[in-house]
Amino acid sequence: MLRSIQDFSSSRLSGLKVLFRADFNVPIENGKVVDPLRIGATISSIKHLLGYGAKVIIVSHRSEEKTSLLPVFQYLKREIPISFAEDVAGSKARHAANALKNGQALLLENLRWDKGEKENDTQFSKDLAAMADVYVNDAFPVSHRAHASVVGVPAILPGYAGFQFLKELENLTPALSPKSPSLAIIGGAKFATKEKLVHELLKKYDRLFIGGALANDFFLAQGHEVGKSLVSDADHARSLLQNSKIIVPVDVVVENPNGKEDKDIEDVNENDCIYDVGPKSIAALKPIAEKARSILWNGPMGHFEKGFRRGTDDVAAIIAQVNAHSIVGGGDTLSSIQFLHLSDRFSFVSTAGGAMLDFLANGTLPGIEALKNSPQLPNSFSERDH
Ligand code: ADP
Ligand code: MG
């Protein structure tokens, strides 16, 4: 059973020491947080815990191992009562954690300063766990990694999901059992990162539209010329082509020495580079989307960073218009549609990136399993003197 911070009575939270896994791996420039979206998403869980008098020890990683979380602390300081420890699970952190008063937070340094984080080292997990009574995971976007702060700590401390974690889990779960007729639209690049997902989606969805550079593998498998286009793995595409659920585009946008052109796939030659899905294919996709009750979309339809974004824009507009329950996600997918301001026209927009893909492919994540299997909070706990 997955427990969440909603399960705590308010009296239980008072004085409770919470080790809180956040995802504060946010863009930082010149020592300043430039995109606080992920901080904003999880701050309501932290405020909830602090509001009931918990002592909240926040841990997060930044992907660049040598960088500090100090800019995140500077940002948080304006929102909540918080202090900063200049190490991860060492004496400074322990000291600061011990000094916390009810309703105060503490941010520890970048978890990846310690190699025990990525290695899921038992001693490192114990050192983190020793500072707190319970563990909260509000970092769904990192929960596909079996790192110490994701799986090691909740094997020791009773584990709970935060609001943001629950929101992703509750909104992504319907994508595992879509209502028929259902449509999945998968684009992007690097077939290897999407292959398992494609196989799983084919078990559950009625139709699967392939766009982006992924489609190039299918064109090759169909025996078409793809010129200078990005391809990764036509062999796997070949076996998938047998599946009648799969829809491969019939036309594309290419770039060649003459500029940009729309072309039927049969007309692509060795000078062409395919950069987007063509208008005929989008027009064929539209009625399928209009009839669908569930739609899942991941992966840009084209090389949008290079200006090939008509296919992506059109797919976004179609999904925004139709009645289906729609789930949209993926790191690059969100970047590709952020200026369209359509997010509130989709049923759910997942900010979980790679964790979303893993969740959809496997039906769970290491971080979810760790919470489900973590120990119970002892009943006597509420009587204990903090
Ligand atoms: P997401 O992060 O949303 O899961 P991916 O990482 O799978 O998406 O793929 C996004 C990348 O795929 C983008 O950088 C985009 O430019 C690229 N892409 C899509 N279509 C093409 C194409 N036809 N040629 C080259 N790159 C493409
Ligand atoms: Mg990506």
Side-chain angles (χ1 to χ4, degrees), residues 340-356:
L340 303 178
H341 303 294
L342 289 173
S343 301
D344 55 356
R345 309 271 296 275
F346 306 133
S347 308
F348 182 62
V349 176
S350 171
T351 57
M356 177 187 96

Side-chain angles (χ1 to χ4, degrees), residues 187-189 194 212-213 216 230 274-276 298-305 329-333 357:
K194 306 268 164 114
N216 299 344
L230 179 68
I274 301 168
Y275 277 135
D276 202 356
N298 163 258
M301 293 294 103
H303 195 351
F304 69 95
E305 300 96 329
D332 293 289
T333 308
L357 299 182

Side-chain angles (χ1 to χ4, degrees), residues 136-152:
V136 170
N137 185 343
D138 209 23
F140 194 89
V142 305
S143 294
H144 56 318
R145 304 195 184 110
H147 292 177
S149 69
V150 176
V151 300

Side-chain angles (χ1 to χ4, degrees), residues 104-116:
Q104 286 182 345
L106 165 69
L107 178 67
L108 307 185
E109 249 310 353
N110 181 358
L111 284 162
R112 292 200 185 163
W113 279 23
D114 198 307
K115 62 179 179 12

Side-chain angles (χ1 to χ4, degrees), residues 63-256:
S63 31
E64 308 84 19
E65 276 164 37
K66 295 283 182 298
T67 55
S68 171
L69 276 170
L70 195 60
V72 172
F73 166 67
Q74 305 290 5
Y75 181 91
L76 290 172
K77 218 165 59 168
R78 291 178 277 159
E79 299 271 332
I80 50 174
I82 188 166
S83 53
F84 184 65
E86 287 166 350
D87 62 11
V88 189
S91 59
K92 287 177 184 157
R94 275 201 303 279
H95 214 84
N98 276 333
L100 282 175
K101 298 202 171 67
N102 291 6
Q104 286 182 345
L106 165 69
L107 178 67
L108 307 185
E109 249 310 353
N110 181 358
L111 284 162
R112 292 200 185 163
W113 279 23
D114 198 307
K115 62 179 179 12
E117 166 64 358
K118 275 191 176 178
E119 291 169 1
N120 187 20
D121 177 70
T122 311
Q123 189 55 49
F124 181 61
S125 297
K126 282 184 184 163
D127 291 345
L128 286 171
M131 286 185 267
D133 304 312
V134 299
Y135 165 84
V136 170
N137 185 343
D138 209 23
F140 194 89
V142 305
S143 294
H144 56 318
R145 304 195 184 110
H147 292 177
S149 69
V150 176
V151 300
V153 179
I156 303 167
L157 293 178
Y160 297 79
F163 294 136
Q164 183 59 20
F165 186 105
L166 275 187
K167 190 176 162 197
E168 286 284 344
L169 183 61
E170 285 170 1
N171 282 287
L172 287 177
T173 299
L176 299 174
S177 43
K179 291 203 173 84
S180 215
S182 55
L183 168 66
I185 302 171
I186 302 295
K190 281 190 264 157
F191 195 38
T193 64
K194 306 268 164 114
E195 194 187 342
K196 172 116 201 276
L197 177 67
V198 165
H199 279 280
E200 286 306 310
L201 294 179
L202 282 171
K203 293 182 194 158
K204 294 167 185 149
Y205 284 74
D206 298 315
R207 306 309 302 272
L208 196 154
F209 182 87
I210 303 277
L214 245 50
N216 299 344
D217 296 318
F218 286 83
F219 298 145
L220 261 188
Q222 287 172 326
H224 296 300
E225 171 68 66
V226 296
K228 303 180 186 336
S229 311
L230 179 68
V231 289
S232 56
D233 191 349
D235 284 346
H236 285 97
R238 197 163 290 121
S239 60
L240 284 167
L241 269 181
Q242 321 288 324
N243 195 315
S244 59
K245 291 179 169 184
I246 290 203
I247 310 167
V248 180
V250 292
D251 63 341
V252 291
V253 184
V254 299
E255 189 178 58
N256 56 34

